Amino acid sequence: MIDSNLFNIKFKNPLVLASGILGVSAEYFKTLEKSGVGGITTKSISLKPRKGHKNPIMFCDDHGFMNAVGLSNAGIDKSIEMIKKAKQFVKTPIIASIFGGTVDEFGELSKLVTEAKPDIIEANISCPNVKKEFKLFGASAEAAAAVTKIVKDNTNIPVVIKLTPNVTDIKPIAKAVEEAGADGITAINTLSGMRIDVNTKMPILTNKFGGVSGKGIFPVAVKNVYEIYKTVKIPIIGTGGITTGKDAIEMLMAGASLLGVGTAAYYGGIKVFTKVNLEIEDWMKNNGYSNIKDLMGAAHE
Ligand SMILES: Cc1cc2nc3c(=O)[nH]c(=O)nc-3n(C[C@H](O)[C@H](O)[C@H](O)COP(=O)(O)O)c2cc1C
């Protein structure tokens, strides 16, 4: 059995499309559903539409991926329409990701997005690429707690808070969001990084710095999920570098209840969801497991 249950919401498998990766149209959600995803996270939504940064905004090599898209999105009004429409197309749970420039903006977004009735709200307090305009709320326990409280106060939908690995210690931040009422935690967002073109001697990305994701960050994600699991009782959506069924098993053992998959869908296309699900099932069969729940947090026993 690889179906999962989170906040009494049924996920046909634990693989959730991570925020910002594919799928900004309601019609495309149907294609994603057919590809075997267990849940779909929207691109992070702001109050006003955002164009994002100028190209080049992405770079990839054998080790992973780096992006500074700059949180381009259609803004809350269009996104509400899109989510409402998508809910008619798909049965797959939808996680609406929101991000604001101030604590109050997070509250407003929470209230507004609730109208669209997503299954879960994810508050992104962890984007490393827009620091000039947005405070990195996820870098401070107090700021993270303030965002959590206002998002919770403005909705009756379960709320998960997406944390950044770009901190010296994620544990107090995880504890603060749990105490402020978060129903769950998503970890991790991208790691801050940079590459330079040796021919032009210029940073490759227009934004200079970008968020590193994909295979290379997997060990960092496993460590953060392991530490968060040790610190809090609320469930974790383990995200970062998951590419194979074995990675998925490892992330479950670290303490994840659901698994976010992002960059692997860029490299392998959306068929990666079916592939990873089959690999999870094979691994479980070969190792005598019949219920995915028995793997969650197994590395802590
Ligand atoms: C191109 C791109 C855009 C992203 N946009 C968002 C976003 O809008 N909101 C967010 O919370 N995370 C965003 N992320 C981070 C991912 O959701 C995920 O946390 C991160 O990439 C690690 O997972 P992965 O290694 O499986 O990609 C983005 C990542 C990429 C690669």
Side-chain angles (χ1 to χ4, degrees), residues 240-282:
I242 298 172
T243 309
T244 66
K246 193 169 150 286
D247 297 340
I249 302 286
E250 207 175 317
M251 192 63 98
L252 289 165
M253 288 181 171
S257 292
L258 287 180
L259 306 165
V261 175
T263 303
Y266 271 122
Y267 283 89
I270 54 174
K271 59 182 187 305
V272 75
F273 294 103
T274 305
K275 179 189 99 75
V276 174
N277 277 325
L278 287 173
E279 288 171 359
I280 295 174
E281 280 170 350
D282 271 358

Side-chain angles (χ1 to χ4, degrees), residues 22-37:
L22 316 169
V24 283
S25 82
E27 290 78 3
Y28 193 64
F29 277 41
K30 189 78 207 167
T31 311
L32 283 167
E33 183 168 74
K34 283 192 195 141
S35 79
V37 287

Side-chain angles (χ1 to χ4, degrees), residues 196-203:
I196 293 166
D197 180 330
V198 292
N199 296 311
T200 62
K201 304 185 198 94
M202 299 273 287

Side-chain angles (χ1 to χ4, degrees), residues 15-92:
L15 304 183
V16 172
L17 176 74
S19 179
I21 320 282
L22 316 169
V24 283
S25 82
E27 290 78 3
Y28 193 64
F29 277 41
K30 189 78 207 167
T31 311
L32 283 167
E33 183 168 74
K34 283 192 195 141
S35 79
V37 287
I40 301 171
T41 314
T42 69
K43 174 85 194 156
S44 290
I45 304 162
S46 50
L47 280 176
K48 297 218 172 84
R50 282 175 58 88
K51 282 205 178 109
H53 297 308
K54 289 200 185 112
N55 277 320
I57 53 172
M58 288 182 192
F59 169 82
C60 70
D61 65 10
D62 292 347
H63 310 290
F65 200 89
M66 187 174 62
N67 90 85
V69 172
L71 294 170
S72 59
N73 76 99
I76 188 68
D77 295 341
K78 286 235 162 65
S79 300
I80 289 175
E81 278 170 39
M82 191 277 279
I83 297 169
K84 280 186 178 163
K85 198 164 157 198
K87 296 268 325 162
Q88 294 168 359
F89 280 111
V90 296
K91 290 200 178 68
T92 303

Side-chain angles (χ1 to χ4, degrees), residues 87-104:
K87 296 268 325 162
Q88 294 168 359
F89 280 111
V90 296
K91 290 200 178 68
T92 303
I94 295 176
I95 303 171
S97 169
I98 55 169
F99 79 100
T102 62
V103 172
D104 287 343

